[in-house]
Amino acid sequence: MANSGQKVVLITGCSSGIGLRIAVTLAKDEKKRYHVIATMRDLKKKDKLVEAAGDAYGKTLMLLPLDVCSDDSVKQCINNVKDRHIDILINNAGVGLLGPVESISIEEMKRVFETNFFGVVRMIKEVMPDMKKRRSGHIVVMSSVMGLQGVVFNDVYTASKFAMEGFCESMAVQLMKFNIRLSMIEPGPVHTEFETKMMEDVAKMEYPGVDADTVRYFKDVYLPSSIDIFEAMGQTPDDIAKCTKKVIESNSPRFRNLTNSLYTPIVALKYADETGGLSVNTFYNLLFNFGPLMHITMSILKCLTCSCLRRRTI
């Protein structure tokens, strides 16, 4: 139970990665300003979080089961919070999907949207009425630079993040009238066990039904380039957790928050040309015409860029 003066923070998707690190970072706040409710679909996966939380577990951090894909689970979770009082909602739960779109079933695509988009919508719909009554609250959504800029072979994942960005951009306007803030956190590549396993799995797949050229482009061009980018520009879950903490502690939190300054020029390409040709042609050339050059550039960047700049948060 939260002490007087503590802000109640509910976080989705805390079994590993970014969600786990946000939960631990806030629960271990030196001033004990937060009472963290860390949620996950399966509490059997709590061990990593409990170990990382240490003495904070059971004091400034508690656990609740939550499946963002279930209306009943969402409602039951919020009902289990004292007075349904949540000061800060951090929507972190998400799933990825990578590969040639011809090889991805519609059911797989729906699963991504069910978690990444409708999961966020469910959570906001459930907590928003209470926040409106209190005329206070902060909703944070873990988005991605892929919610701003499309990335080849990430078509469906990117679409789910674009949809979420549009939804939140619309919601932010009306929520301001009720003194409720909405903030998007937009990381670039982040080193997590989930990302590593996904890269390993897709590299081994055969992709039946996809033409040979596309499979070759995906495995021999895109995947090596992605690994280069992750190594040169990747952040850690702790970097994202620190950025998120800065956002919720800001007196005037931004709506959009890019966590990696190295990605600012990449995103800016899209807005520099209203026809879209600049960004589309640039990424095409980088991937298919200047692949070796990009590999060299990423290697140089990895060597020359100190970790403090590579991981610099807003």
Side-chain angles (χ1 to χ4, degrees):
M1 186 181 299
N3 296 326
S4 177
Q6 281 185 322
K7 289 187 175 181
V8 178
V9 185
L10 188 141
I11 311 168
T12 67
C14 293
S15 61
S16 63
I18 294 172
L20 184 153
R21 294 315 309 172
I22 293 175
V24 170
T25 297
L26 296 182
K28 289 187 173 182
D29 177 64
E30 291 182 358
K31 298 179 181 178
K32 293 183 170 55
R33 290 172 288 183
Y34 306 106
H35 175 72
V36 177
I37 302 170
T39 71
M40 60 188 71
R41 187 169 51 184
D42 183 2
L43 289 184
K44 292 178 182 177
K45 296 181 178 181
K46 68 180 181 180
D47 292 350
K48 288 182 181 179
L49 174 61
V50 171
E51 181 181 357
D55 293 341
Y57 179 62
K59 296 176 182 176
T60 54
L61 184 145
M62 64 173 289
L63 296 177
L64 282 178
L66 171 63
D67 180 0
V68 298
C69 296
S70 165
D71 292 350
D72 291 339
S73 178
V74 168
K75 184 172 288 293
Q76 183 176 351
C77 177
I78 303 304
N79 285 342
N80 283 333
V81 177
K82 188 178 186 302
D83 299 327
R84 291 175 53 94
H85 185 114
I86 296 170
D87 296 294
I88 302 168
L89 168 66
I90 300 179
N91 294 281
N92 169 74
V95 294
L97 189 60
L98 180 64
V101 73
E102 304 98 310
S103 67
I104 301 171
S105 70
I106 295 297
E107 288 306 311
E108 288 179 285
M109 296 181 188
K110 287 180 178 179
R111 179 179 64 88
V112 171
F113 269 82
E114 192 63 53
T115 302
N116 294 0
F117 179 69
F118 289 109
V120 173
V121 174
R122 281 190 187 91
M123 294 304 301
I124 292 177
K125 277 171 60 68
E126 193 63 34
V127 305
M128 184 171 59
D130 296 305
M131 286 184 172
K132 281 184 172 181
K133 289 176 184 177
R134 296 193 305 271
R135 292 191 173 264
S136 69
H138 194 172
I139 296 171
V140 178
V141 177
M142 194 60 59
S143 182
S144 167
V145 292
M146 290 191 205
L148 301 172
Q149 172 66 59
V151 175
V152 64
F153 293 119
N154 288 269
D155 319 84
V156 179
Y157 176 80
T158 295
S160 72
K161 294 297 185 180
F162 263 70
M164 189 168 63
E165 290 264 346
F167 175 81
C168 290
E169 188 171 316
S170 303
M171 287 297 307
V173 176
Q174 67 152 298
L175 290 176
M176 286 182 67
K177 190 66 176 176
F178 294 88
N179 196 37
I180 302 168
R181 296 292 182 181
L182 197 157
S183 298
M184 310 288 289
I185 309 295
E186 295 158 330
V190 180
H191 297 288
T192 65
E193 294 176 10
F194 171 79
E195 293 287 351
T196 301
K197 186 177 186 304
M198 184 170 64
M199 287 283 194
E200 292 173 351
D201 289 346
V202 297
K204 298 173 185 175
M205 294 173 66
E206 295 299 326
Y207 302 104
V210 181
D211 62 276
D213 281 345
T214 298
V215 174
R216 179 170 59 83
Y217 293 145
F218 176 59
K219 289 190 173 185
D220 298 341
V221 179
Y222 169 78
L223 287 179
S225 296
S226 292
I227 292 170
D228 286 343
I229 291 170
F230 263 80
E231 290 180 350
M233 303 174 69
Q235 293 180 292
T236 68
D238 270 324
D239 295 327
I240 312 306
K242 291 172 184 175
C243 173
T244 304
K245 190 170 187 285
K246 287 181 180 180
V247 170
I248 67 175
E249 290 175 356
S250 171
N251 292 326
S252 182
R254 299 179 186 178
F255 173 64
R256 284 197 168 93
N257 301 272
L258 282 169
T259 68
N260 192 327
S261 60
L262 294 176
Y263 256 85
T264 303
I266 296 174
V267 173
L269 283 175
K270 181 174 181 177
Y271 300 99
D273 173 19
E274 73 275 10
T275 71
L278 179 61
S279 61
V280 170
N281 292 328
T282 297
F283 285 111
Y284 174 83
N285 284 319
L286 282 175
L287 191 61
F288 295 112
N289 291 337
F290 306 127
L293 177 61
M294 188 172 79
H295 175 77
I296 294 171
T297 302
M298 289 296 106
S299 297
I300 293 172
L301 183 63
K302 184 170 61 174
C303 293
L304 297 182
T305 307
C306 64
S307 60
C308 62
L309 176 59
R310 189 167 69 247
R311 297 177 178 176
R312 197 183 78 189
T313 55
I314 59 165

